[in-house]
Amino acid sequence: MSRREPAAVSRRAVLAGGGALIVSFSLPLPGRGQQPPVVEKALGKTLDPAEVDGFLAVNADGSVSLFCGKVDLGTGLRIAIPQMAAEELGIGVERIVLVEGDTALTPDQGPTAGSTGIMRGGVQIRQAAATARAALVRLAAARLGVPAEALEVVNGAVRPKEGGQGVGFAALIGEQQFNIKLDPQAPLKDPGSYGIVGRSMPRPDVPRKVTGRHPYIHDLKLPDMLHGRVIRPPAVGARLLDVDDTAVRDIPGVQVVRLGSFVGVVAPDEWDAELAARALVTRWSQASSLVGHEGVPAWMRKGPFDADQKLVGKGDARAALAAAAKKLSATYYWPTQSHASMGPSCAVADIREGKATIWSASQATHRFRRTIARLLNLPLEAVRVVYVDGSGCYGMNGHDDAAADAALLSRAVGKPVRVQWSRADELGWDPKGPPQMLALEGAVGADGQIAAWSTEMWIPRATANLPNIPLLGPADAGMAQPPGIATGLISQNGDPPYATPNVEVLVHWLKDAPLRPSNIRAPGKIANSFAVESFVDDLAAQARIDPVEFRLKGLSDPRGAEVIRRAARMLDWKARPSPGPGGLGRGIAYVHYKHGETYVAVAMEAEVDPGSGAIRVRRVACAQDCGLVINPNAAMQQVEGNILQTLSRTLLEEVTFDAARVTSVDWAGYPILTFPDVPEIMIDLVDQPQSPPLGVGEAASTPVPAALANAIFDATGARLRTVPFTAERVKAALAVARRT
């Protein structure tokens, strides 16, 4: 792997005093969005993403404030984006003040989703920094009386290239506006000259996270803040019939809020609010509208359907399959899954005097601002949403719902309200990653390559231009919300990335989902690649060709071929067809994410205990080409997180529910991967400094399930096509393999 040397700076130096990368909040948080003083001065600045001043400002001391609409969800943007800006500006990262996701201070750069944080948000800020650098050089040229081309920017100052006195940023423009448009064509620095981008600089949040001192939304405190709890119905769709508050009247300071079927309690003390929520007597209507998790596959086959759509059509797949001497077919199922955030959702709202301020871990603060304005019938300029770290999400979990709960309660009582969900709330009521079902058919030609391929999908169709998914609190309160569902782009990567003359991908769009859906990490692509790359292995096995060789024969993209070779090499891959002789199996899977972004190959070793059906993943090797790597260490942390989270989703996770409600509402009912199950992980980042940076937050998760399924097949001859790979499913697959 080609990788630049680590940064010549210690963690202690970066974290010390003036060497800190300053973020928006610090504990305690007693006031209304208390920011560093330099940030508070920026209130009222332009938020126009077409203006340089929308993204950055030079402060009186020569430091630079960055205003980023994207947020750091644990992905490392908090260091990577300042690295990008610092590189282009010609200033040290330690002199960057980063403000993220505050709608009063940052431009709207869209939600932090789809691995766009660096690829779009960071690139936009980098271009603003390049525009600002050119402007600073022009200002210095006028002051020094020398041509702009004779100047360079070093360490926050513009100076003559041949030596001599320079002028610092503060003297040139400190606390003044640039008043220039962002120039999309402003020249960027040559990657060969980079001294900051490409270095593994430490993330500023990690030390406080590992020592328990990092401020999360759960820690936010405001003067006169009350604590709220919302009582959810006992069944999805049940309506509130009656409330009896007799049992809570003696709890100090408790107020009961009812808006239609929305009912909650608030109290000055959090434990009192919890006690009141438990004691409040509510009576609900009966409801049993759900199909139950075991009935989902049959429900998906039946509909109701919105439409059928051919997503890919090349050659004549139907005719080629009909004419094939040997063909395979298989059906794959991916279940409903929860975001399963380690800490339940939380938010704080202050709705008073015709204004609203929301503190939330939302991935889309600007979009949520519009939602809150619409729900509360407030002008947009009266609403501010401030991002504060949550405990992880990677897709819309319950953060926005908790914020809406807090807003409704705060408006009712006229004080700031903090709403903290419970574990049962989080697993029972967060919007879910939707189920997916795929039926595949294919054939291999005499040349050992795929001759024909058909994918048929059954997936819920996202509502076009839906501003937000219907939120629980406002729905129960009878407030008008745009109807629809949100799933993310779940139909991508449903066709093989290998040369195939005859391909068809047909999707049966479902009108709804069994439970309220939302996007979850790598939405759709994980399930689709699970099916595609598992089926590719079956075709290779039928043709008696090594799985790596089979893929490389059909792959013309050299970047894709390179990650496959690297992943296989890390695992010391020996060419042979699958399945192998038994024991330790190996598998591989590949994705070109969305067919246009990051390249990833994952190779995996796993073994199966035939008696218990237990799977043990031994080693995982991942090679990834995400173009220009901003911070190698942060990128590798993301790859590790992708692998571990998706192993958990593949081995363990499925939302269970009956006709009325979700039943997997604790860690026993919805288990996740634990430390003893963590395998050895090897990562190889392909450095492409001349290429644009691509996404890191999602892509590496995509090949993981197929790589594991292929390793299990190689070890046992048993094929798993339904997630999660429970012991019962493993033993059933082993029994089928023995019979065949």
Side-chain angles (χ1 to χ4, degrees), residues 10 186 194 286 363 407 416 459 469 499 552 561 737:
S10 70
Y194 283 170
Q286 298 295 312
Q363 291 186 214
I459 50 179
I469 71 170
L552 292 175

Side-chain angles (χ1 to χ4, degrees), residues 57-350:
V58 176
N59 304 311
D61 61 357
S63 64
V64 174
S65 296
L66 285 187
F67 302 99
C68 181
K70 301 287 187 180
V71 299
D72 190 336
L73 304 167
T75 54
L77 298 190
R78 205 162 281 154
I79 182 64
I81 286 180
Q83 282 182 258
M84 297 174 78
E87 188 71 75
E88 289 301 329
L89 280 169
I91 193 172
V93 173
E94 73 280 358
R95 303 188 70 191
I96 297 284
V97 180
L98 180 67
V99 181
E100 52 186 294
D102 185 333
T103 62
L105 295 166
T106 65
D108 185 354
Q109 294 182 274
T112 308
S115 291
T116 60
I118 293 293
M119 185 170 54
R120 295 179 191 165
V123 165
Q124 201 172 17
I125 288 175
R126 179 178 68 175
Q127 205 66 49
T131 307
R133 171 168 48 86
L136 290 165
V137 168
R138 289 194 298 269
L139 289 171
R143 178 172 296 197
L144 297 174
V146 298
E149 55 270 20
L151 299 173
E152 62 181 356
V153 184
V154 179
N155 294 329
V158 185
R159 68 186 189 189
K161 293 179 181 178
E162 296 183 355
Q165 188 68 33
V167 187
F169 288 0
L172 288 170
I173 199 172
E175 294 197 316
Q176 300 177 51
Q177 295 183 349
F178 283 91
N179 288 321
I180 55 174
K181 296 289 185 183
L182 186 152
D183 180 4
Q185 305 304 317
L188 301 173
K189 287 186 176 179
D190 182 350
S193 70
Y194 283 170
I196 298 174
V197 165
R199 292 169 57 184
S200 290
M201 305 186 77
R203 286 171 47 180
D205 53 325
V206 170
R208 289 181 298 170
K209 285 179 176 177
V210 299
T211 57
R213 294 181 292 122
H214 184 74
Y216 290 95
I217 181 62
H218 310 72
D219 303 307
L220 179 61
K221 296 178 182 178
L222 301 178
D224 300 320
M225 185 179 77
L226 303 177
H227 295 272
R229 293 291 188 271
V230 174
I231 294 88
R232 301 291 177 205
V236 174
R239 308 308 298 168
L240 183 62
L241 301 177
D242 188 39
V243 177
D244 182 354
D245 66 355
T246 304
V248 305
R249 291 174 185 170
D250 293 334
I251 301 176
V254 167
Q255 299 178 65
V256 177
V257 175
R258 179 180 179 181
L259 303 166
S261 290
F262 175 86
V263 60
V265 295
V266 296
D269 182 81
E270 184 174 10
W271 183 239
D272 285 342
E274 180 67 26
L275 291 176
R278 297 180 187 184
L280 191 70
V281 177
T282 56
R283 189 166 61 89
W284 301 82
S285 67
Q286 298 295 312
S288 57
S289 59
L290 306 180
V291 299
H293 67 277
E294 293 179 342
V296 172
W299 174 86
M300 296 180 83
R301 293 274 191 180
K302 265 174 51 177
F305 296 105
D306 184 61
D308 287 351
Q309 182 183 5
K310 184 181 285 190
L311 300 179
V312 180
K314 178 183 175 185
D316 192 337
R318 292 288 108 204
L321 287 167
K326 293 175 68 176
K327 57 190 173 186
L328 291 176
S329 61
T331 298
Y332 300 82
Y333 177 69
W334 194 276
T336 303
Q337 292 184 328
S338 172
H339 296 83
S341 299
M342 291 297 291
S345 295
C346 182
V348 179
D350 188 359

Side-chain angles (χ1 to χ4, degrees), residues 672-697:
I672 61 174
L673 199 72
T674 57
F675 282 109
D677 299 316
V678 173
E680 178 187 355
I681 298 176
M682 300 169 286
I683 299 167
D684 188 356
L685 297 179
V686 182
D687 193 16
Q688 301 276 8
Q690 300 297 331
S691 298
L694 300 172
V696 178

Side-chain angles (χ1 to χ4, degrees), residues 441-495:
E441 193 172 5
V444 177
D447 59 356
Q449 297 192 59
I450 302 171
W453 181 287
S454 169
T455 297
E456 198 172 0
M457 296 179 172
W458 288 264
I459 50 179
R461 187 173 206 165
T463 304
N465 302 314
L466 188 69
N468 61 274
I469 71 170
L471 299 169
L472 296 175
D476 287 340
M479 303 170 76
Q481 298 184 81
I485 62 173
T487 60
L489 301 174
I490 61 174
S491 64
Q492 296 172 318
N493 289 112
D495 53 323

Side-chain angles (χ1 to χ4, degrees), residues 346-657:
C346 182
V348 179
D350 188 359
I351 318 298
R352 285 183 287 182
E353 300 171 358
K355 294 183 179 180
T357 305
I358 310 289
W359 291 266
S360 170
S362 173
Q363 291 186 214
T365 52
H366 288 84
R367 186 173 64 188
F368 190 60
R369 179 191 184 208
R370 295 190 288 271
T371 298
I372 288 294
R374 185 172 59 250
L375 289 173
L376 301 183
N377 196 27
L378 291 173
L380 189 62
E381 59 270 17
V383 178
R384 179 181 184 183
V385 180
V386 183
Y387 175 78
V388 188
D389 278 353
S391 58
C393 51
Y394 295 105
M396 182 183 169
N397 61 358
H399 288 322
D400 288 358
D401 284 300
D405 291 344
L408 293 180
L409 293 174
S410 177
R411 185 178 66 169
V413 300
K415 287 187 176 183
V417 174
R418 172 186 176 272
V419 167
Q420 166 75 64
W421 277 19
S422 68
R423 171 57 48 199
D425 289 335
E426 189 69 37
L427 291 175
W429 292 98
D430 77 318
K432 312 297 183 186
Q436 296 175 243
M437 188 160 57
L438 295 92
L440 274 57
E441 193 172 5
V444 177
D447 59 356
Q449 297 192 59
I450 302 171
W453 181 287
S454 169
T455 297
E456 198 172 0
M457 296 179 172
W458 288 264
I459 50 179
R461 187 173 206 165
T463 304
N465 302 314
L466 188 69
N468 61 274
I469 71 170
L471 299 169
L472 296 175
D476 287 340
M479 303 170 76
Q481 298 184 81
I485 62 173
T487 60
L489 301 174
I490 61 174
S491 64
Q492 296 172 318
N493 289 112
D495 53 323
Y498 314 105
T500 312
N502 303 287
V503 187
E504 179 181 276
V505 177
L506 176 67
V507 59
H508 305 290
W509 290 112
L510 291 155
K511 285 186 177 180
D512 204 351
L515 295 169
R516 185 178 61 134
S518 77
N519 55 309
I520 195 170
R521 195 174 207 168
K525 275 75 76 176
I526 290 180
N528 297 339
S529 291
F530 165 55
V532 168
E533 285 291 298
S534 296
F535 196 64
V536 165
D537 246 49
D538 279 344
L539 291 174
Q542 184 191 61
R544 302 303 297 159
I545 300 174
D546 172 75
V548 170
E549 177 189 345
F550 188 77
R551 286 169 170 81
L552 292 175
K553 284 180 69 173
L555 199 59
S556 58
D557 191 324
R559 294 173 71 174
E562 179 66 13
V563 295
I564 290 175
R565 291 191 183 98
R566 289 191 184 210
R569 191 160 55 242
M570 280 189 284
L571 215 61
D572 194 25
W573 191 279
K574 299 294 189 296
R576 60 167 173 77
S578 287
L584 191 65
R586 82 287 204 276
I588 196 163
Y590 161 76
V591 69
H592 185 193
Y593 196 61
K594 304 178 187 176
H595 287 317
E597 295 179 12
T598 298
Y599 301 83
V600 188
V602 170
M604 197 175 298
E605 284 181 347
E607 57 188 351
V608 177
D609 182 336
S612 66
I615 297 167
R616 178 66 176 168
V617 179
R618 292 295 184 183
R619 294 197 296 162
V620 180
C622 178
Q624 175 168 292
D625 177 351
C626 54
L628 171 66
V629 179
I630 309 301
N631 185 316
N633 188 54
M636 286 191 286
Q637 289 170 357
Q638 277 309 289
V639 173
E640 289 174 353
N642 273 284
I643 291 167
L644 292 175
Q645 184 186 24
T646 314
L647 279 176
S648 180
R649 293 174 65 184
T650 305
L651 290 168
L652 300 165
E653 298 183 35
E654 179 177 13
V655 174
T656 60
F657 55 100

